[in-house]
Amino acid sequence: MAKDQGAMDKEKQTVRFMIEIYCADKHATAADGLCPDCRELLHYADQRLDKCQFAPDKPPCAQCKVHCYKPELRKQIQEVMRYSGPRMIKKHPLLAVRHLVRGWKGKGKK
Ligand code: SF4
Ligand SMILES: [Zn+2]
């Protein structure tokens, strides 16, 4: 697998974990699935990542100044990241640290 593709796959995995944490806590969904709204958000996030202009060295979407999301879904993903970001450190520490480092690098802040 190309290095760039690997970075974007990790990014997608991070977003998926964050949405899963959020959905399990906020929407009381079963551990093995997402509610329809969160599934739609994940699908949309994957599509945005496929078209991201900063790939593969992108900032966390919640900190992106360009932000390519539709307003409503932008609000949803920001809420998910605010909630799940700190919780990721316990559940998926390596991905969480990687996500934070990308934020500090400040890419995408125009
Ligand atoms: S919000 Fe910014 S970083 Fe996230 S996919 Fe869109 S352009 Fe890329
Ligand atoms: Zn949900």
Side-chain angles (χ1 to χ4, degrees), residues 27 34-42 73 76:
H27 304 150
L34 294 173
C35 75
D37 283 352
C38 289
R39 205 173 306 135
E40 190 187 321
L41 179 62
L42 177 62
L73 291 170
Q76 281 181 35

Side-chain angles (χ1 to χ4, degrees), residues 8 11 45 47-55 58-69 77 107-108:
M8 291 311 281
E11 202 60 31
Q47 284 182 332
R48 297 327 301 164
L49 286 171
D50 284 339
K51 295 182 176 159
C52 179
Q53 64 181 288
F54 301 111
K58 59 181 285 305
C61 293
Q63 293 176 22
C64 178
K65 295 298 181 202
V66 170
H67 222 297
C68 60
Y69 282 52
I77 198 73
K107 297 278 170 67

Side-chain angles (χ1 to χ4, degrees), residues 11-27:
E11 202 60 31
K12 287 182 180 180
Q13 198 181 21
T14 303
V15 172
R16 167 178 273 281
F17 284 146
M18 285 187 170
I19 294 175
E20 283 176 356
I21 291 169
Y22 184 86
C23 190
D25 287 1
K26 298 280 189 177
H27 304 150

